[in-house]
Amino acid sequence: IRGLVTCFWTVVGAYLVSLLFSHYERSGEYLSSSLGSVIFSRANDLILSDLVLVLSTCFVVPFVRVMWVGRWQPKCLDPRLPRSMGFQAVAEVGWLACWYLWQGTRGWPWAQRCFFALHTVVNWMKVHSYLSSNRQLAAKLRTYNELVSEKGAESRRDGALIAALDADLRPYTVRFPANLTLGNYALFQLCPALVYELEYPRTEKIRWGYVAEKLAGTAGIFFVFYIVVAHLVIPHLERMPETGILVATLHLMGPMATCWLLFFFITFDSIANGFAELTRFADRRFYDDWWNARGLDEFSRKWNRPVHMFLARHIYMPVRQSWKARKTVPASVAAMAATFFFSSILHELTIVVACHRWNHGLFFFFQMMQIPIIMYSDKIPWFRDQHALRNWCFWLAMVIFQPLLLCMY
């Protein structure tokens, strides 16, 4: 596969050289500087705001200690009660609204807004996972302490339950609540993971040559991304009022598919692996073979595993476990619908904040339409077994609908 990758990037490089030369013949300059002025304008303000954003997430450590683990523990703050989830939700929504409002007051260009909106969502996922995981552990710790303190704790049933709770509180070497430190949270914040664990598998040492390779790859892919957006995407968007949405969509199918692939490479192959190496994070399975996906459900599971694991842990499994069995709506269907609904709301909110425009929930509608498509495509016998045809339909939908949504927004 290495030779194929080398061939691919060589062809991409040759195409970019010809693209830059053609731009020089038309305008007298090799590289368009209009996008660069947008990206790097008010860079100091963006960097400082992003740093404060990350540091502000540290409130979760004292929040957990005071609310659920500290010595002052009234019954109203019992982590086993539903109201504890309400306190957590208020804290999360308040934090998220604060930073979304902050972004709205800065007057940043679209590039800064997109980056800050995405990073805000990523940090909110980390905050939610940290609070939810430790709230569940705090509930188990309460139950464990109560069982140990009772006189009948020596019974066989209570003994087995105590052993199970103790195993949950100490999955590896660190036992809850010894993990509630700023150092432990800082490691979670830097690790390329969105689901909190008391400990992660670690490598023995940092390979600095590998880090340099990923850093160079990030810079190279960003340069290619810049050229594609500046020379192939923005000109067609600027001419869209004259040409129309349909013509602009046809022009943008190739460039948008290229941008999407470049975004995948720079995020999961370069940045995620670079941070994983710096933190000695051993689990490098950030994606599966999503290019072989036979439908949108398989693609959503494989192309972004950190987000998939977050949705599976904090949305899908809780809904499935709490859903009461009904003949008309199975628990698996209800959990899938809830997961897609949450994901659609989050995507729509991020786009609205980044673009400062609400297009009547268009993205939400298209993403929710995936549910009936997934359900009925599996019920058609001749189509269910056509793996190559389903993969081709998936790619066709990705190539067409991404530039169409971009033009509509």
Side-chain angles (χ1 to χ4, degrees):
I1 192 69
R2 181 175 296 274
L4 181 62
V5 172
T6 303
C7 174
F8 170 77
W9 284 112
T10 303
V11 172
V12 169
Y15 174 73
L16 292 178
V17 170
S18 63
L19 181 64
L20 294 176
F21 186 74
S22 299
H23 188 265
Y24 176 79
E25 291 180 330
R26 293 193 305 269
S27 61
E29 59 178 4
Y30 286 103
L31 191 64
S32 175
S33 59
S34 58
L35 180 60
S37 61
V38 173
I39 293 177
F40 298 106
S41 64
R42 304 185 62 184
N44 293 333
D45 188 18
L46 176 65
I47 294 173
L48 181 60
S49 297
D50 193 62
L51 178 61
V52 177
L53 166 72
V54 174
L55 293 177
S56 69
T57 63
C58 294
F59 84 93
V60 296
V61 178
F63 184 90
V64 174
R65 280 194 167 276
V66 172
M67 295 290 289
W68 299 320
V69 184
R71 295 180 179 179
W72 179 72
Q73 289 296 316
K75 292 183 179 180
C76 63
L77 297 180
D78 193 327
R80 295 168 294 186
L81 297 177
R83 65 168 64 97
S84 65
M85 189 181 300
F87 291 133
Q88 175 186 335
V90 170
E92 292 181 20
V93 172
W95 180 88
L96 190 63
C98 176
W99 283 108
Y100 276 161
L101 291 174
W102 170 261
Q103 175 182 316
T105 63
R106 304 314 297 163
W108 288 328
W110 63 269
Q112 280 88 339
R113 293 200 307 266
C114 291
F115 168 79
F116 197 81
L118 288 173
H119 203 203
T120 302
V121 171
V122 169
N123 279 273
W124 171 79
M125 288 182 176
K126 286 181 175 287
V127 166
H128 177 78
S129 184
Y130 187 90
L131 291 178
S132 297
S133 300
N134 283 288
R135 176 174 53 80
Q136 294 169 5
L137 289 172
K140 294 179 179 180
L141 180 63
R142 287 262 187 130
T143 304
Y144 175 85
N145 291 334
E146 291 176 359
L147 289 174
V148 171
S149 62
E150 291 178 355
K151 294 182 179 180
E154 293 81 5
S155 64
R156 180 177 300 178
R157 185 183 63 180
D158 289 345
L161 181 56
I162 290 174
L165 290 172
D166 185 66
D168 292 338
L169 295 172
R170 190 197 296 271
Y172 302 106
T173 58
V174 177
R175 190 179 192 276
F176 181 86
N179 62 301
L180 299 177
T181 63
L182 289 177
N184 180 274
Y185 177 74
L187 178 63
F188 171 59
Q189 180 64 244
L190 293 174
C191 285
L194 298 177
V195 174
Y196 176 76
E197 301 287 352
L198 272 69
E199 293 179 89
Y200 294 100
R202 310 290 298 280
T203 58
E204 294 182 358
K205 61 180 182 179
I206 299 176
R207 298 172 296 173
W208 292 106
Y210 184 84
V211 175
E213 175 188 340
K214 294 305 175 183
L215 183 63
T218 301
I221 295 174
F222 179 80
F223 180 69
V224 176
F225 191 90
Y226 179 94
I227 294 175
V228 173
V229 173
H231 294 263
L232 297 177
V233 176
I234 293 180
H236 292 296
L237 291 176
E238 293 175 345
R239 293 195 298 266
M240 190 172 63
E242 303 173 0
T243 60
I245 292 180
L246 179 60
V247 175
T249 300
L250 294 175
H251 280 295
L252 289 174
M253 286 192 299
M256 281 301 299
T258 304
C259 288
W260 177 55
L261 292 175
L262 291 174
F263 175 80
F264 166 79
F265 277 112
I266 198 173
T267 303
F268 299 109
D269 188 67
S270 295
I271 297 178
N273 276 297
F275 273 95
E277 190 66 29
L278 288 172
T279 56
R280 298 193 293 116
F281 186 75
D283 185 5
R284 307 296 172 91
R285 189 184 168 191
F286 302 120
Y287 56 89
D288 289 325
D289 58 334
W290 55 266
W291 46 88
N292 294 324
R294 293 163 294 179
L296 297 171
D297 56 334
E298 185 178 356
F299 167 74
S300 63
R301 293 194 305 268
K302 290 185 174 182
W303 99 278
N304 188 342
R305 289 199 76 253
V307 171
H308 167 68
M309 297 301 294
F310 173 88
L311 294 175
R313 166 76 72 86
H314 298 294
I315 305 296
Y316 183 87
M317 292 306 298
V319 172
R320 182 165 185 170
Q321 292 171 359
S322 61
W323 186 260
K324 295 181 180 179
R326 293 184 175 90
K327 294 182 180 180
T328 55
V329 183
S332 59
V333 176
M336 181 185 69
T339 304
F340 268 93
F341 179 80
F342 176 82
S343 177
S344 302
I345 290 291
L346 199 61
H347 278 82
E348 182 70 27
L349 180 63
T350 304
I351 292 176
V352 169
V353 172
C355 300
H356 285 186
R357 179 187 178 188
W358 184 62
N359 199 2
H360 306 288
L362 190 64
F363 194 95
F364 173 83
F365 172 77
F366 276 109
Q367 189 157 352
M368 289 301 294
M369 283 300 296
Q370 296 179 23
I371 298 178
I373 293 175
I374 292 170
M375 294 177 61
Y376 286 104
S377 63
D378 290 335
K379 293 183 179 181
I380 304 176
W382 68 267
F383 186 71
R384 183 178 59 241
D385 299 329
Q386 299 295 325
H387 296 173
L389 177 61
R390 293 181 64 177
N391 181 248
W392 180 81
C393 291
F394 157 75
W395 275 109
L396 188 64
M398 296 298 293
V399 169
I400 294 176
F401 282 101
Q402 285 197 18
L404 179 61
L405 284 173
L406 176 66
C407 293
M408 286 184 174
Y409 273 90

